[in-house]
Amino acid sequence: MLDTALYDAYFFDLDGTIFIGDRLLPGVGKTFAALRANEKKIMFLTNTTVQTRADCQARLEKLGLCVEREEIMTAAYAAGLYFQQQADSARVLVVGERALAAELASFQIRQVQAPSQATHVLVGMDRTFTYEKLLLAADALRNGAKLIVANPDPVCPVPGGAIPDTGALAQAIETAGGATVWAMTGKPSRFYAEQVFQQLNVRPEQCLIVGDRLETDILLGKNSGMKTALVLTGVTTCHELERAGIRPDFVLPTLDGSAHDRQEQQQCR
């Protein structure tokens, strides 16, 4: 089990770290009970764009974890923060689902349908993605709109496998529109890290981030000065870890496992 007394704040990914589908992963309940008992700051950091913070809160509570909405940061909510802080007069063409549009609307960011009106194209996961949506986004980019991507995740883990995620759609839109990504709002972007540090009023060295993805969760921690723990309940396997250039500080088989500051390869054996 994680050392729940060592850090001031603990950040957790959701899919593949806390749950998969409707199943809470091993050790989660015990870990959070200990963190609450030690009065630690907690925040859930997810790259989802298909659930609002309220949706995530309801899902966690259904699984038995009592959380506040302010303890959740999604890539969709971070996109709203991005436009509020850096382009509040933007006219955004959204490629995504209800939750992404809803989070933008909560910040009163203007959304448009016509490519000629768009100053930005915002891409999230979209399970209704069509050729027409690809065409509209590409036209907007060719008209000078900036491409904002919620996250780089190529796939999303689901029970029994994975489905295409934001990164896969963003690459298609980049190619069709002849443009490159202007900014990213989710993990592992510096913008995302700055928002969570500000919300909890903590310094990076006071924090531990736990996640199942090297290129988002662990890289977010490495780039921002946090300690990092990879949990092997999601997309990253021991074999992939051994070949990767990103090295977490700790590796856990599950949140029930013990985390020791030693070589990752030893913990995978």
Side-chain angles (χ1 to χ4, degrees), residues 163-207:
I163 58 176
D165 205 333
T166 302
L169 305 186
Q171 287 187 26
I173 292 169
E174 276 188 284
T175 301
T180 57
V181 174
W182 177 264
M184 183 181 299
T185 65
K187 299 178 290 186
S189 71
R190 184 170 297 277
F191 177 81
Y192 191 98
E194 290 170 352
Q195 303 312 304
V196 299
F197 293 145
Q198 288 174 16
Q199 289 214 17
L200 288 190
N201 190 28
V202 291
R203 299 189 306 274
E205 61 271 19
Q206 298 172 309
C207 306

Side-chain angles (χ1 to χ4, degrees), residues 1-13 17-18 27-44 65-67 71 200 206-210 229 252 255-256:
M1 188 170 142
L2 286 176
D3 187 332
T4 54
L6 188 58
Y7 304 96
D8 293 337
Y10 291 76
F11 298 132
F12 294 88
D13 175 53
T17 301
I18 300 301
V28 172
K30 186 189 305 181
T31 297
F32 280 93
L35 289 171
R36 294 298 192 197
N38 286 328
E39 299 183 339
K40 297 299 181 178
K41 295 179 179 180
I42 298 172
M43 183 170 277
F44 298 94
L65 298 181
C66 185
V67 302
E71 293 179 313
L200 288 190
Q206 298 172 309
C207 306
L208 175 72
I209 181 169
V210 184
L252 296 167
L255 283 183
D256 256 343

Side-chain angles (χ1 to χ4, degrees), residues 16-261:
T17 301
I18 300 301
F19 54 69
I20 292 180
D22 295 324
R23 177 172 60 91
L24 203 65
L25 288 166
V28 172
K30 186 189 305 181
T31 297
F32 280 93
L35 289 171
R36 294 298 192 197
N38 286 328
E39 299 183 339
K40 297 299 181 178
K41 295 179 179 180
I42 298 172
M43 183 170 277
F44 298 94
L45 309 184
T46 170
N47 264 349
T48 186
T49 61
V50 299
Q51 292 185 315
T52 64
R53 292 194 304 163
D55 295 333
C56 291
Q57 180 186 24
R59 186 175 185 181
L60 288 167
E61 290 183 344
K62 185 177 180 181
L63 291 171
L65 298 181
C66 185
V67 302
E68 301 294 330
R69 191 172 305 179
E70 291 71 26
E71 293 179 313
I72 301 168
M73 176 67 73
T74 71
Y77 187 76
L81 289 170
Y82 174 85
F83 285 110
Q84 180 189 61
Q85 296 175 19
Q86 303 196 21
D88 62 354
S89 61
R91 300 184 302 276
V92 185
L93 191 155
V94 176
V95 177
E97 299 186 16
R98 172 200 62 84
L100 184 56
E103 293 290 28
L104 281 193
S106 72
F107 287 93
Q108 300 183 325
I109 303 301
R110 184 181 174 190
Q111 299 175 52
V112 298
Q113 302 296 321
S116 60
Q117 297 177 352
T119 59
H120 297 75
V121 174
L122 173 63
V123 182
M125 185 178 180
D126 190 344
R127 290 165 292 188
T128 62
F129 189 67
T130 62
Y131 189 86
E132 182 181 3
K133 291 183 179 182
L134 174 61
L135 177 61
L136 292 174
D139 282 348
L141 295 181
R142 284 192 290 268
N143 286 334
K146 295 175 180 177
L147 179 58
I148 311 298
V149 177
N151 65 71
D153 301 348
V155 296
C156 175
V158 296
I163 58 176
D165 205 333
T166 302
L169 305 186
Q171 287 187 26
I173 292 169
E174 276 188 284
T175 301
T180 57
V181 174
W182 177 264
M184 183 181 299
T185 65
K187 299 178 290 186
S189 71
R190 184 170 297 277
F191 177 81
Y192 191 98
E194 290 170 352
Q195 303 312 304
V196 299
F197 293 145
Q198 288 174 16
Q199 289 214 17
L200 288 190
N201 190 28
V202 291
R203 299 189 306 274
E205 61 271 19
Q206 298 172 309
C207 306
L208 175 72
I209 181 169
V210 184
D212 69 311
R213 289 179 182 266
L214 292 169
E215 69 278 8
T216 53
D217 306 315
I218 304 307
L219 191 58
L220 177 73
K222 291 292 184 184
N223 288 345
S224 59
M226 291 187 274
K227 288 294 185 179
T228 60
L230 178 74
V231 64
L232 299 173
T233 48
V235 298
T236 303
T237 65
C238 277
H239 181 62
E240 291 168 337
L241 174 61
E242 290 167 1
R243 296 183 301 166
I246 303 170
R247 295 297 180 187
D249 296 295
F250 309 106
V251 178
L252 296 167
T254 71
L255 283 183
D256 256 343
S258 61
H260 300 289
D261 189 5

